[in-house]
Amino acid sequence: MSPDPSDKGTVPFREYRTWYRVTGDLKAGRPALVAVHGGPGSTHDYLLALAALADEGWPVVHYDQLGNGGSTHLPGEGADFWTVDLFLAELDNLLDRLGIADDYVLFGQSWGGPLAASHAMNNPAGLRGLVVANAPASMPLWLSEMAALRAELPPEVQASLLRHEAAGTTDTDEYYAAMRVFYDRHVCRIQPWPQDFLSSFMEIYNDPTVYYTMNGPNEFHVIGTLRDWSIIDDLHRIRTPTLLIGGRHDEATPTVMRPYADLVPGARWEIFEESSHLPHLEEPERFTEVMVDFLKSL
């Protein structure tokens, strides 16, 4: 159970609204940890466990990126609207509106990882630390590793996935059942799925506009606008103290995350041996230890 929020609401972003939630005191003297969720097109829910870090002395900010959760939904907008620059601008706006742009840490998970890293490339003066968790730096590299992980699935599961992807019937129960085999191995190994993760999972499919446009129907069939996106060439620009987090069974394999380790100066890399894509849920005690140790080092 995550601590109760100390504040929540929305802030204006252009003509839209961004929903946020604060746990702890933003004026307590320590940098706020801002949780940048995955997707694109997911919600903050599956990262709510991070709110417990407020009990350790760091205020925590969650928010729902535009198009999902408590933020403005825009199901009529097309691919030209949903861009990386849009979400970078939204993050900048949130930091300014909450008054924390001069003292904060970013925790970017999955898609939130390269988004937070892209923010850090400009070396904002108030950014004290960066955590990149379970995240790609290159979508082509991600797709290559997805193909390798898919090849390890049972033959009948692979056949079902390929048949529905070729037919364009990725919204059927049969495809979902085959998809779950992959998810249960490489996204969340806890059974049944924790409620926080299930909430975000269902939110994506309640309004899949952003996810389907930028990603595709699931984590391993990426056919959206991000399919060729890479930030590898610019990772060397990051000068912020950086922690990398990955799971041994993660869809974000060590190969996927290695560009961060190789190219971000001084990056520290922690692999969680019993986790897949969600170490904060799969190994919560060690996750908290690693995070607190990193935050204290800043």
Side-chain angles (χ1 to χ4, degrees):
M1 182 72 73
S2 59
D4 291 334
S6 52
D7 181 31
K8 62 181 179 179
T10 63
V11 296
F13 170 56
R14 299 176 181 172
E15 61 266 47
Y16 316 116
R17 308 290 300 188
T18 299
W19 181 94
Y20 72 90
R21 177 192 198 273
V22 178
T23 311
D25 183 359
L26 293 179
K27 302 185 185 307
R30 277 182 165 172
L33 179 73
V34 181
V36 186
H37 67 68
S42 185
T43 62
H44 78 284
D45 301 82
Y46 78 100
L47 292 177
L48 271 175
L50 271 67
L53 290 168
D55 293 335
E56 305 290 338
W58 286 270
V60 178
V61 175
H62 289 86
Y63 74 105
D64 286 336
Q65 293 163 24
L66 192 67
N68 291 88
S71 296
T72 304
H73 288 234
L74 297 158
E77 295 291 351
D80 58 341
F81 180 84
W82 302 109
T83 65
V84 175
D85 286 345
L86 171 76
F87 292 107
L88 287 172
E90 182 186 33
L91 176 56
D92 286 342
N93 179 75
L94 179 75
L95 298 171
D96 288 337
R97 295 283 183 174
L98 294 182
I100 57 174
D102 59 349
D103 196 23
Y104 65 101
V105 175
L106 288 186
F107 179 94
Q109 201 277 337
S110 199
W111 136 262
L115 187 65
S118 296
H119 174 92
M121 287 170 189
N122 294 319
N123 294 296
L127 181 61
R128 305 295 177 226
L130 171 68
V131 183
V132 176
N134 322 98
S138 159
M139 294 309 291
L141 186 57
W142 172 276
L143 285 170
S144 174
E145 288 296 284
M146 290 304 101
L149 294 177
R150 282 180 60 150
E152 298 173 358
L153 296 173
E156 66 275 12
V157 173
Q158 294 186 57
S160 181
L161 292 172
L162 291 170
R163 182 170 63 254
H164 286 286
E165 288 163 5
T169 51
T170 55
D171 57 351
T172 60
D173 290 343
E174 185 178 340
Y175 185 80
Y176 174 79
M179 184 181 82
R180 270 297 298 258
V181 178
F182 181 94
Y183 274 56
D184 289 345
R185 289 186 179 193
H186 301 298
V187 180
C188 183
R189 294 167 69 86
I190 303 171
Q191 298 297 327
W193 283 355
Q195 184 58 50
D196 288 350
F197 175 56
L198 193 59
S199 294
S200 282
F201 187 82
M202 296 309 296
E203 284 274 9
I204 289 175
Y205 292 100
N206 285 338
D207 183 352
T209 303
V210 182
Y211 191 71
Y212 282 7
T213 300
M214 298 183 75
N215 186 82
N218 57 47
E219 296 295 277
F220 53 83
H221 189 47
V222 180
I223 54 176
T225 56
L226 289 183
R227 62 188 177 274
D228 298 318
W229 185 48
S230 174
I231 61 170
I232 287 178
D233 290 346
D234 292 310
L235 287 175
H236 67 279
R237 293 167 48 195
I238 296 174
R239 292 293 181 265
T240 306
T242 300
L243 169 66
L244 309 176
I245 289 176
R248 179 61 64 192
H249 310 283
D250 202 337
E251 59 180 356
T253 65
T255 298
V256 164
M257 292 204 64
R258 181 158 297 282
Y260 292 106
D262 290 346
L263 299 171
V264 177
R268 165 186 165 189
W269 195 2
E270 295 282 347
I271 293 180
F272 288 69
E273 295 294 335
E274 304 303 321
S275 295
S276 56
H277 200 51
L278 306 171
H280 63 283
L281 297 177
E282 295 167 292
E283 294 181 69
E285 292 182 2
R286 179 165 179 247
F287 175 83
T288 299
E289 290 174 0
V290 168
M291 284 295 298
V292 169
D293 182 64
F294 175 69
L295 291 168
K296 285 181 176 179
S297 75
L298 299 176

